[in-house]
Amino acid sequence: MAEDEVEKTKSDSPEPLGEPAVAPRRFFTARKVLTGLGILAISIVIACVMVYVLYRAGTFDRYIKDQLVAKLSDIGIKFESETFRVAASPMTVELRNATFRDNLTGEKLFFVREARLGLTVLDLLSWRLSRDIRIDRSDIAGAEVWVNFDENGRSNFANLKLVENQKGSPVNFRYDSVQFSIQDSVFHYGDVSRSIGGDARNVTFELSPDSSTSDEKTRFKFEFNSKDSNFKYEDKTVEKIDIRATGIADDVGADVSNLTLKTPVGDSVLSGTIRDWASPKYELDIASTVDITQIASIFSTGTALAGVGNFKGHVSGSGETYRVEGSADSESLRAGGVYLKALDVAATVEGTNTNYTANGKAVAEMLTFEDFKVDFPKLVGSVRGTGTDFRWVGELQAIAARSPALTLGGLFLSDAVAEYKDRKFRAEVGNGRAKRFAVGDIEMDDLRARGLSISTQNGGVDISAPSGTAGSLVSKDYRLDGVAA
C-alpha cells in the first residue's frame, strides 16, 4: 500500500518545465509609430519649405507660363505678357498687357489688358507624371479682338488649330467647368470680299455652366452686350448700334433665346438655333422694323426712299445661302417714282448672296408709278433677281388703274412676265382682261387681249397688243357692239 501511495504521489507531481515560450514581436510599436509620424512631419515641413522657396523664387510662375506658352504654340498662337504672376491660395494666374499673335504671320489676334484665371490642380497627390489643371474662372478686362477676312474669304484665325489634351503631357488644361467674364472690351470685324466691317464697343460677355442640362455634356449659358457700336459698308457707316444676346451654347452650336439689335435704321429681335461653328447653319425666328428713310439718308442709294417696313418670319441658311419665310407690311412705302400704300406681302425667299428667288403674294391699297395709279393691286407669282434687277412671272389683279391718258377697271392679267433691268421696265402678258377701258373719249367694256406688251419709255407707258375684243366700244359720236380688232 505504501508503494501505491508513492506511485500516486509521483503521478500528481508536475512535470519539469522546459525553456520558457517567446512571445511574437509586434510590428507597429509605439516607438515606431512615433518615429514614422516624426519623419512624415519633417518631410511635410521640408516639402512646404521647398514649395514656399520655389514659389517665392518664381519657379511655379515660370513653369505654369512655360506650359501655357507651349499649349498656345501648339494651337498656333504666340503669347507674350508684360506681367505673369501665379498665386498659391487660391491658385490663380494674373496677366497684364498680354498679346496673342498668329505664330506664322505675326498678325495680332487679340490683346488683354488685365486677366485673372482661377485654377484647380486635379489629383494633386497622385503618383502621376502629368497633371490636369482645370480653369474654373476667367475674368478679363480691356480685351481687344480682331477678326478679318481677306478678298478670298480667308480668316486671320485660319492658321489656328484646336489641340485636344494629349495623354502623357506634363500639363493638360481643362475648361469643362469654366466661368468666363469679359468687361470693357472691343471687337473689330472686317471683310474685304464683301466690303463690310464694324466695331463692337463696350462689350461685356458672361459664360457659365448650365446646371439645368441633364446629359453628361456640359453646356454654357451666355450673355453678350455691346453699346455704341458701328457697322460699315464700303465708305458708309451706321453708328450707335446696340446688341444684346442671351442663350445656351456648347462646342457644336447654340440655342439663342434672345438676340436684340437696335440701330438708327431699325430694330430686330431674333431667337432660334445655330449649329456647327465651323460652317454655321442657323434657324431663326425674326421680327424686324426697318426705317427705309434712314437707310436712304445714310447709304445715299441715289434713289428717293421713304417709309417704314415691318417683317415677321423665319430665317434659315448656311454660309451665303439663305431662306426667308414670312410676311412684311408697310403703311407707306416710296422708292423713286413708285409709291405703295398699305402694302402686305407673304412670301418665301431663297438666295445666295445677291441672287434670290421669291414666291408669294403682295396686296396693296394703292400703287402709283410716276403718273400711273393702280387701286388695290394684287400680285401672285415668283421673282428672280440680282440686286435691284429682277424678273417676275405671275398674275396681277386690280380694281382700277389709270393714267392721264387711259383708265382701266376690273383689271386682270395672267401668264404675265415683267422685267426691271438697268432702270427700264417692260412686261408681256399672255392674257389680259378689263371690265372697263377708256382712252380719251373712247370707252370699251369687257376688253380682252392676248399677247399684250407694256413698257415705260420717255416718261410714259406704252401698251400694245396684236389683237383684242370688246363687248362694246362707245364714243360721243357712235357705239359698236361685239368688236374684234
Side-chain angles (χ1 to χ4, degrees):
M1 183 167 181
E3 291 179 358
D4 294 339
E5 290 178 356
V6 171
E7 291 296 331
K8 184 177 181 181
T9 303
K10 288 182 179 179
S11 63
D12 292 341
S13 63
E15 294 291 334
L17 297 176
E19 294 182 1
V22 179
R25 295 181 180 180
R26 289 179 298 173
F27 184 79
F28 291 103
T29 64
R31 179 180 294 179
K32 288 183 178 181
V33 170
L34 292 175
T35 301
L37 291 175
I39 293 173
L40 179 61
I42 293 172
S43 300
I44 292 175
V45 171
I46 293 174
C48 291
V49 171
M50 291 179 63
V51 168
Y52 177 77
V53 172
L54 293 172
Y55 170 69
R56 296 295 295 177
T59 302
F60 287 162
D61 296 37
R62 288 193 296 272
Y63 178 75
I64 298 283
K65 182 177 181 180
D66 290 345
Q67 294 301 321
L68 179 61
V69 169
K71 287 293 181 182
L72 291 174
S73 180
D74 291 341
I75 295 173
I77 295 176
K78 182 180 180 181
F79 168 72
E80 298 172 342
S81 179
E82 182 181 293
T83 301
F84 191 102
R85 183 183 300 113
V86 178
S89 182
M91 189 174 183
T92 58
V93 173
E94 297 180 2
L95 305 178
R96 189 178 296 274
N97 296 333
T99 304
F100 302 80
R101 300 178 183 273
D102 187 308
N103 244 344
L104 296 178
T105 65
E107 182 180 356
K108 187 184 290 187
L109 301 176
F110 44 95
F111 169 84
V112 174
R113 188 181 69 235
E114 295 177 1
R116 182 182 177 89
L117 310 179
L119 310 178
T120 298
V121 181
L122 304 178
D123 300 326
L124 179 62
L125 300 179
S126 64
W127 292 97
R128 296 170 53 190
L129 296 178
S130 65
R131 286 287 179 270
D132 288 344
I133 296 180
R134 186 180 66 208
I135 301 178
D136 298 316
R137 185 170 184 87
S138 301
D139 296 308
I140 297 173
E144 195 165 5
V145 182
W146 290 266
V147 179
N148 298 310
F149 293 86
D150 61 18
E151 60 277 3
N152 298 317
R154 180 180 172 82
S155 167
N156 59 329
F157 283 79
N159 294 327
L160 306 188
K161 55 183 179 180
L162 295 178
V163 178
E164 298 290 338
N165 288 334
Q166 299 176 358
K167 190 174 181 179
S169 298
V171 172
N172 287 318
F173 292 98
R174 291 173 51 179
Y175 312 93
D176 49 353
S177 62
V178 70
Q179 289 190 343
F180 190 82
S181 171
I182 293 181
Q183 304 290 330
D184 187 26
S185 299
V186 179
F187 284 57
H188 305 283
Y189 176 82
D191 190 336
V192 176
S193 63
R194 297 176 178 82
S195 301
I196 60 175
D199 303 303
R201 301 193 183 106
N202 304 308
V203 172
T204 63
F205 180 71
E206 299 285 341
L207 185 73
S208 60
D210 179 30
S211 58
S212 64
T213 54
S214 57
D215 54 0
E216 296 181 356
K217 191 170 187 178
T218 304
R219 306 191 74 198
F220 298 90
K221 295 185 294 184
F222 67 86
E223 180 175 347
F224 175 91
N225 289 279
S226 173
K227 293 184 178 181
D228 198 24
S229 302
N230 64 57
F231 173 79
K232 301 174 183 177
Y233 176 71
E234 295 181 345
D235 59 342
K236 309 298 188 303
T237 304
V238 180
E239 299 282 359
K240 299 181 179 179
I241 299 175
D242 295 344
I243 305 171
R244 183 176 186 273
T246 58
I248 300 175
D250 54 26
D251 57 346
V252 297
D255 296 325
V256 182
S257 57
N258 180 274
L259 171 58
T260 301
L261 179 66
K262 294 184 177 182
T263 76
V265 300
D267 300 337
S268 297
V269 178
L270 302 91
S271 62
T273 61
I274 302 173
R275 293 290 176 263
D276 188 1
W277 296 116
S279 179
K281 301 175 179 62
Y282 52 90
E283 297 274 349
L284 300 170
D285 294 319
I286 179 173
S288 180
T289 299
V290 179
D291 190 335
I292 299 174
T293 307
Q294 290 292 331
I295 293 177
S297 63
I298 292 174
F299 290 98
S300 302
T301 59
T303 301
L305 300 175
V308 175
N310 305 298
F311 173 78
K312 186 175 183 180
H314 185 79
V315 180
S316 59
S318 175
E320 297 174 346
T321 301
Y322 58 88
R323 177 183 174 90
V324 182
E325 302 173 80
S327 60
D329 63 82
S330 176
E331 288 297 321
S332 176
L333 189 63
R334 187 182 301 275
V338 178
Y339 171 74
L340 283 163
K341 181 180 179 182
L343 174 66
D344 193 349
V345 180
T348 298
V349 182
E350 297 178 288
T352 302
N353 289 330
T354 59
N355 299 314
Y356 63 89
T357 300
N359 295 277
K361 177 178 68 175
V363 179
E365 185 177 318
M366 182 175 65
L367 164 67
T368 63
F369 181 72
E370 295 181 350
D371 293 332
F372 197 76
K373 179 180 178 182
V374 181
D375 295 328
F376 294 97
K378 177 182 177 182
L379 289 87
V380 179
S382 64
V383 178
R384 292 180 179 271
T386 301
T388 58
D389 295 341
F390 66 86
R391 178 182 175 86
W392 170 76
V393 178
E395 62 182 40
L396 166 67
Q397 300 180 44
I399 292 178
R402 53 187 175 275
S403 73
L406 60 87
T407 300
L408 293 166
L411 177 65
F412 179 79
L413 304 177
S414 62
D415 299 327
V417 178
E419 185 177 56
Y420 183 81
K421 187 175 183 179
D422 299 330
R423 297 189 177 185
K424 293 182 179 179
F425 174 82
R426 68 178 186 86
E428 296 179 355
V429 181
N431 294 282
R433 183 173 72 248
K435 292 183 178 180
R436 179 175 177 271
F437 179 82
V439 178
D441 60 350
I442 298 177
E443 182 175 327
M444 289 179 279
D445 291 331
D446 194 20
L447 175 64
R448 300 171 182 266
R450 300 177 62 86
L452 277 167
S453 177
I454 306 172
S455 63
T456 58
Q457 56 185 356
N458 301 323
V461 179
D462 182 69
I463 302 176
S464 62
S467 62
T469 63
S472 64
L473 187 152
V474 180
S475 71
K476 62 180 181 179
D477 298 322
Y478 56 86
R479 174 189 177 95
L480 299 174
D481 294 323
V483 177

